[in-house]
Structure formats: structure tokens, C-alpha cells
């Protein structure tokens, strides 16, 4: 594989990461509207189910029925998918118990968790350059997200911090498992099956809370259902496929660096409605970009788990 071709792969991977995070950013304004009339516990299985069905339909059209069926029968994959479902639950609980600034800081640390997992597995050897790159992206994510979250949360708690940490760490672990342990499987198949499997634990948890007497608000109006379908198909389904593609091409740690651009994309979208993009937002975005570029600077060397370029997959 030539160096020039590898460079094109890296560019493609980063472009997928940018598009992924922009699409994922649509999730936040849509959620604000939907959660006015939907309980988060009820929304979770519906959102995952619709996203899974949408991606599965694409997979079937591309002739991936066999791959999806094999994944559904794979015990390791089922376990990873259950962890994915729990990561969402942990994060929802954590966010309800801590202020938005604390949650933003924890989420911004995703590249750190990924690099530590890679080091533990022996797949990554974090050097000075990678450590500096991670520091820049985490600082940028914190800088951008904290200014957007000021005054949006209440007093935090230790349990809230622990649940949020567990949710983020579980999600990073889930991503690394799908990217590394199931590297030869189509991203579309992995997303479709993992989301459909995750509906089961999410539904069981919903049933448990409902049985315990928790009020579960839902809204089946045409407008709200339309928003849920749009959120599931695009900001959840499409972004998840692009997320795995990015992680597979440039590495999960670099993909996690892209995630720290989400607060900037969200505020830019909000600016269309009158919100103000401040110098702190821009400075944070610049730091994230600088860190991601630095992490991939040696693009002509094959490196496992951080920036190992591979040919784009079937998706």
C-alpha cells in the first residue's frame, strides 16, 4: 500500500469523522424538543429500535443479511451490545445527578479513556506527541463545552460523576470492541444488530421502572413522532455508522478527539437561532483540531489503534 493511498484514507477517515459529529450534533436540538413530552427511559428503546431498523434496512438492501444474522448469534457481540445499552442508561442517570459542566468535562475525556484502553491491551504506545495531542483536544473540548453549559445544571454528586464516567467508559469500550474485535464485519451490520439487541435491555429497564410506579410520559403526535424518526435515522443511525468507520480508519482515540468538536457544532447550529458564538468557542475548536492533526502527523507510518490507515470498508 503506497504512502499516497494511505494519506487519502486518513483524509477520508477524518472527513467521515467531521460529518459524523455534525450529524450527531443534530441529536441535541431534537432531543430538547422531544424530551419535553417523552420520558428518557421510554425514548431510549424507541430511538435505538428505529435507528437499528433503518440501518438494518440499508444492510438488507446491500446483501448483508447473512452478516447480521451471524452477529446476532455471536455471544461476544451480544454481550458488547448489552454494554452499549447500559452505557446509555448510565449516562442518562449520571446527567440527571450532576451539573452540565461536570458532564461536559467527563465526556471531553473520551480520548484519554480510549488511549488508556489501547495501552492496556498493548495496541497503543502513547508517546509524547500523542499525550500532547490528547491534552490539546481535551482542553479544547472542555473549553468549548463549559462555556456553553454555564448555568445549565445544579449541584453535582459523587454518584452522578461515577454513573457518567461509567457511561462514557462503557461506550468507548463498546466502540473499540466493534472496531478491533469485529474489524472484518461491515460497519452497517454492526450498528444495525447492536442497536436492535440494545432495545431488549432498554425495554426491560423501562418495564421495571413502569412496574415500580414511575410515570412514563410519551407523546404520539405526528410532529413528535416525525422528530423521533428523523433523530433515529440520521443523528443516531447514520452517525453511528460514520463513527465506526472513522474509528476503523484513523483509530478510536482520534475518533474520540473528533467528538470534542460536538459542542462547537451545536453552538454554531444554535447561532442560526440567535445564540452567540464566542471567542472561547472558537479557541476550543482550534485546540481540538490542532490535537487531532498532531496525533496523525506521522501519517505514513502504520500504527495500531491510533492512526492505522486501512482501506475504506464496504460501507
Amino acid at each position: 500500500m503506497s504512502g499516497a493511498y494511505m494519506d487519502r484514507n486518513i483524509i477520508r477517515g477524518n472527513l467521515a469523522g467531521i460529518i459524523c459529529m455534525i450529524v450527531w450534533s443534530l441529536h441535541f436540538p431534537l432531543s430538547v424538543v422531544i424530551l419535553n413530552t417523552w420520558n428518557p427511559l421510554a425514548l431510549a428503546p424507541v430511538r435505538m429500535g428505529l435507528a437499528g431498523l433503518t440501518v438494518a434496512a440499508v444492510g438488507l438492501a446491500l446483501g448483508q443479511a447473512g452478516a447480521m444474522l451471524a452477529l446476532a448469534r455471536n455471544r461476544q457481540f451480544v454481550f458488547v451490545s448489552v454494554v452499549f445499552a447500559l452505557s446509555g442508561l448510565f449516562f442518562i442517570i449520571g446527567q440527571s445527578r450532576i451539573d452540565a459542566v461536570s458532564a461536559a468535562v467527563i465526556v471531553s475525556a473520551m480520548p484519554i479513556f480510549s488511549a488508556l484502553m489501547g495501552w492496556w491491551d498493548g495496541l497503543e504506545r502513547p508517546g509524547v506527541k500523542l499525550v500532547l495531542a490528547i491534552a490539546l483536544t481535551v482542553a479544547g473540548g472542555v473549553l468549548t463545552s463549559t462555556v456553553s453549559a454555564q448555568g445549565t445544571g445544579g449541584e453535582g454528586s459523587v454518584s452522578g460523576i461515577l454513573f457518567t464516567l461509567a457511561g462514557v467508559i462503557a461506550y468507548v469500550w463498546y466502540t473499540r470492541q466493534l472496531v478491533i474485535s469485529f474489524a472484518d464485519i461491515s460497519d452497517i451490520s454492526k450498528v444495525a444488530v447492536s442497536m436492535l439487541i440494545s432495545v431488549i435491555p432498554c425495554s426491560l429497564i423501562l418495564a421495571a421502572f413502569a412496574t415500580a410506579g414511575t410515570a412514563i410520559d410519551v407523546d404520539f403526535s405526528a410532529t413528535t413522532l416525525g422528530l423521533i424518526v428523523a433523530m433515529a435515522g440520521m443523528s443516531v443511525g447514520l452517525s453511528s455508522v460514520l463513527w465506526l468507520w472513522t474509528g476503523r480508519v484513523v483509530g478510536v482515540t482520534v475518533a474520540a478527539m473528533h467528538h470534542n468538536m460536538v459542542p462547537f457544532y451545536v453552538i454554531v447550529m444554535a447561532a442560526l437561532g440567535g445564540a452567540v458564538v464566542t471567542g472561547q468557542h472558537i479557541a476550543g475548536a482550534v485546540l481540538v483540531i490542532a490535537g487531532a492533526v498532531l496525533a496523525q502527523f506521522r501519517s505514513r507510518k502504520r500504527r495500531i489503534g491510533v492512526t492505522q490507515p486501512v482501506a475504506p470498508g464496504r460501507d
Side-chain angles (χ1 to χ4, degrees), residues 147-212:
V147 66
S148 301
Q150 292 293 342
T152 59
E155 184 178 354
S157 68
V158 174
S159 64
I161 292 173
L162 292 177
F163 271 114
T164 305
L165 272 173
V168 173
I169 291 172
Y171 183 71
V172 173
W173 181 83
Y174 152 82
T175 302
R176 293 186 66 89
Q177 289 299 307
L178 263 58
V179 168
I180 298 171
S181 300
F182 298 90
D184 297 330
I185 307 298
S186 160
D187 296 329
I188 289 177
S189 294
K190 289 184 287 191
V191 168
V193 178
S194 65
M195 286 191 170
L196 290 176
I197 291 175
S198 72
V199 171
I200 298 173
C202 286
S203 298
L204 292 175
I205 293 168
L206 171 62
F209 274 88
T211 303

Side-chain angles (χ1 to χ4, degrees), residues 52 72 79 84-85 128 131 146-147 166-167 186 194 204 217 270 273-274 297:
F79 175 74
F84 168 58
V128 175
V131 171
T146 52
V147 66
S186 160
S194 65
L204 292 175
D217 297 324
F297 186 73

Side-chain angles (χ1 to χ4, degrees), residues 95-297:
Q95 276 191 309
S96 68
R97 299 186 180 186
I98 61 174
D99 59 281
V101 173
S102 298
V105 171
I106 293 172
V107 173
S108 296
M110 281 181 66
I112 297 177
F113 301 137
S114 178
L116 288 174
M117 289 179 194
W119 170 75
W120 180 264
D121 293 336
L123 299 178
E124 295 181 19
R125 296 181 296 276
V128 175
K129 183 176 293 185
L130 180 60
V131 171
L132 178 58
I134 291 174
L136 287 172
T137 55
V138 171
V142 170
L143 190 64
T144 306
S145 56
T146 52
V147 66
S148 301
Q150 292 293 342
T152 59
E155 184 178 354
S157 68
V158 174
S159 64
I161 292 173
L162 292 177
F163 271 114
T164 305
L165 272 173
V168 173
I169 291 172
Y171 183 71
V172 173
W173 181 83
Y174 152 82
T175 302
R176 293 186 66 89
Q177 289 299 307
L178 263 58
V179 168
I180 298 171
S181 300
F182 298 90
D184 297 330
I185 307 298
S186 160
D187 296 329
I188 289 177
S189 294
K190 289 184 287 191
V191 168
V193 178
S194 65
M195 286 191 170
L196 290 176
I197 291 175
S198 72
V199 171
I200 298 173
C202 286
S203 298
L204 292 175
I205 293 168
L206 171 62
F209 274 88
T211 303
T214 302
I216 307 296
D217 297 324
V218 294
D219 174 18
F220 293 110
S221 67
T223 300
T224 302
L225 289 178
L227 292 176
I228 292 175
V229 170
M231 179 178 67
M234 290 189 59
S235 66
V236 178
L238 176 59
S239 71
S240 295
V241 173
L242 292 172
W243 168 250
L244 292 186
W245 186 10
T246 303
R248 178 164 49 81
V249 175
V250 302
V252 178
T253 300
V254 173
M257 294 179 183
H258 275 282
H259 196 281
N260 283 347
M261 284 294 292
V262 170
F264 179 74
Y265 297 143
V266 171
I267 192 62
V268 169
M269 292 178 187
L272 299 176
V276 178
V277 179
T278 68
Q280 186 170 334
H281 288 121
I282 296 173
V286 169
L287 287 176
V288 173
I289 294 171
V293 170
L294 179 61
Q296 302 171 86
F297 186 73

